Amino acid sequence: MSNWMKNLRRVEPYVPGEQPRSLEVVKLNTNENPYPPAPGVAEALHQMNTDTLRRYPAPDCGMLTAVLARRYGVAQNQVFVGVGSDDVLGMSFLTFFNSEKPILFPDISYAFYEVWADLLRIPYEKQPLDASLRLVREDYYKENGGIVFPNPNAPTSILEPLSFVEDIVSHNPDSVVIVDEAYIDFGGTSALPLIEKYDNLLVVQTFSKSRSLAGMRIGFALGSPALIQALNSVKNSYNSYTMSQAALETGTAALEDEAYFQETIGKITQTRQEAVQRLAALGFSGPAPMANFLFVTHESIPARELFAALREADIFVRYFDKPRIDNYLRITVGTPEQMEKLYTFLEDYMKH
Ligand code: PMP
């Protein structure tokens, strides 16, 4: 082995869901939004003056943080933006989780937490979900170097109430608590109002799901000015120009169209409700979904088999070959037409 190889940082990367090239695929595997972004986004791109691309974008991303501050009723120095919430979360791990004590997160959750902790050599202890796949708040009352969990959780789609989040935050005044609200817009109550009361709470959200901008990569964090300043200091020690001009302009345009946002959310939650019933009629069950995806298990057919059969039929869903959840499928809520293709295939499959 060459000597340089000994010095490599050994990592076990996160494995994202498949991104097929074909647009024929019914793609229900990465929790993308099936509807296009707000019309203002296309307009912003068409009207973009390409001459501005000669220049670096504003390092403080002020255009976007100003609109976010207004939309969420906070001061501009309580807003941080990044290249998708993955960037915001990764930067937050680097900034806030710098203790010898282990950070805590659920054992069944967003798989990237463990990857960042390993990459950054942050000690961690995974806290098991209970038998009904719920977080147990008392597990997060022990000594720790920080806490992170999604609400709703992924891949279960289970939402915890605001009181649950507040209990965890109030028991941990000496740690930063990160609530990953990637899916909060699909019917949950955000922990955002709590940031005025707790200066150690960071709320992270994304434009990838509810605002149909996964391809543009925009995420943000809201928290006390002290947390945001710490994040900016670390960001500016790593890469000052994270957000492209296109991201700043399209993100702003998406945020300004509240009516379109509400309409899209309405359509997705309606389709989700129908999906619960249609899938139940086919023998599926699972926790009440509060994100833009369902987490379901079938009464007789193994999830692994269904996953493969669906894939063969160009219907992509997500399957996790992991203890306790290896008989579940995670199905993103698509358009009614896409969902109809899913039900039709399953109905057919059940007959054989
Ligand atoms: N958090 C959770 C729980 C997620 O499922 C995802 C999507 N993979 C993300 C964060 C990151 O999304 P993005 O970087 O597109 O904002």
Side-chain angles (χ1 to χ4, degrees), residues 27 87 129 251 263 339:
K27 198 173 169 308
D87 180 44
L129 299 186
E263 184 192 324
M339 298 308 277

Side-chain angles (χ1 to χ4, degrees), residues 152 159 183-190 210 265 269 272 289-292:
L159 176 78
Y183 303 102
I184 200 71
D185 291 330
F186 300 101
T189 304
S190 172
S210 54
I265 299 287
T269 50
R272 179 177 73 192
M290 285 302 284
N292 66 337

Side-chain angles (χ1 to χ4, degrees), residues 159-188:
L159 176 78
E160 296 300 344
L162 193 55
S163 59
F164 178 101
V165 178
E166 181 159 16
D167 280 346
I168 292 181
V169 179
S170 66
H171 275 85
N172 288 283
D174 298 326
S175 302
V176 172
V177 178
I178 302 175
V179 185
D180 175 357
E181 295 189 337
Y183 303 102
I184 200 71
D185 291 330
F186 300 101

Side-chain angles (χ1 to χ4, degrees), residues 277-297:
Q277 285 156 17
R278 295 290 296 272
L279 290 170
L282 286 161
F284 289 93
S285 60
M290 285 302 284
N292 66 337
F293 56 88
L294 301 102
F295 198 53
V296 293
T297 184

Side-chain angles (χ1 to χ4, degrees), residues 137-166:
R137 74 186 84 187
E138 292 79 11
D139 288 349
Y140 300 84
Y141 294 174
K142 63 183 101 167
E143 251 201 294
N144 63 73
I147 291 174
V148 57
F149 62 92
N151 195 36
N153 195 11
T156 63
S157 205
I158 297 176
L159 176 78
E160 296 300 344
L162 193 55
S163 59
F164 178 101
V165 178
E166 181 159 16

Side-chain angles (χ1 to χ4, degrees), residues 14 30-31 83-89 109-113 116 150-154 180-183 204-209 213-214 217-220 293 318 330:
Y14 173 75
T30 51
N31 299 340
V83 187
S85 55
D86 280 340
D87 180 44
V88 175
L89 288 163
S109 193
Y110 186 34
F112 230 133
Y113 302 153
W116 286 312
N151 195 36
N153 195 11
D180 175 357
E181 295 189 337
Y183 303 102
V204 177
Q205 295 192 9
T206 179
F207 283 54
S208 296
K209 318 292 180 181
L213 280 175
R217 313 303 300 126
I218 308 172
F220 60 102
F293 56 88
R318 195 89 200 259
R330 192 195 71 188

Side-chain angles (χ1 to χ4, degrees), residues 33-42 45 210-214 250 254 257 260 264:
N33 195 311
Y35 299 106
V41 169
L45 281 174
S210 54
R211 296 186 191 275
S212 310
L213 280 175
T250 54
D257 198 339
Y260 183 86
T264 306

